[in-house]
Amino acid sequence: MLALVQRVTEARVDIAGATVGTIGRGLLVLVCAEPGDTEALADKLVAKLLKLRIFSDAAGKMNLDVAGVAGGLLIVSQFTLAADTRGGNRPSFTGAAPAELGRRLYERVVASARASHPVVATGEFGADMQVVLVNDGPVTIPITLRN
């Protein structure tokens, strides 16, 4: 599984002019499933996200996780994280999971997050979304998990 995590002061997802998911301080998580990924790997991703210490403590050091700052999670599907640009100027997305698997694993990430964290908002799988965010820091961290 691939994820791109951004520490934000606020973020939202709009679809056709309507806001479908919004958080204040927290993590915007762009998620992409790959063909060999499993539900266990989706659960492992959520555990990693919840323990990721990228929020500053009183001394200004990155020592706090999202729960430690009472932050939210905004989870958005993004198959383009699997883009392969080695073959030219038009990216190939063959590294992304097929839509059915991608949807199932995205929904597993969301369900697992909701079972473990009190504030979880989402985008909509497969929709044309506009993601608006204020990246705090900026802090942006790529995560790659493999079986």
Side-chain angles (χ1 to χ4, degrees):
M1 291 204 81
L2 305 172
L4 186 68
V5 181
Q6 295 182 309
R7 185 179 75 183
V8 298
T9 57
E10 61 182 298
R12 75 173 193 267
V13 176
D14 296 338
I15 299 174
T19 298
V20 298
T22 186
I23 61 169
R25 185 178 193 191
L27 300 176
L28 169 62
V29 184
L30 306 174
V31 177
C32 176
E34 297 176 292
D37 291 347
T38 62
E39 291 183 354
L41 201 57
D43 293 343
K44 185 176 178 181
L45 174 63
V46 171
K48 180 84 160 172
L49 294 170
L50 294 176
K51 293 178 183 173
L52 198 59
R53 298 182 341 175
I54 61 171
F55 292 91
S56 298
D57 62 15
K61 297 199 183 278
M62 285 192 203
N63 277 327
L64 301 175
D65 59 23
V66 68
V69 297
L73 298 173
L74 178 55
I75 302 172
V76 179
S77 62
Q78 186 162 358
F79 77 93
T80 61
L81 290 178
D84 182 353
T85 59
R86 293 175 292 177
N89 295 324
R90 183 175 177 178
S92 168
F93 301 108
T94 58
E100 182 180 313
L101 176 62
R103 178 184 301 274
R104 189 174 84 238
L105 292 177
Y106 170 72
E107 289 173 356
R108 177 63 177 240
V109 168
V110 171
S112 182
R114 286 186 169 146
S116 303
H117 194 72
V119 180
V120 178
T122 67
E124 181 182 315
F125 186 89
D128 180 16
M129 297 175 276
Q130 289 69 52
V131 180
V132 179
L133 67 132
V134 177
N135 190 318
D136 183 21
V139 175
T140 302
I141 298 176
I143 296 175
T144 302
L145 297 178
R146 298 267 174 3
N147 286 322

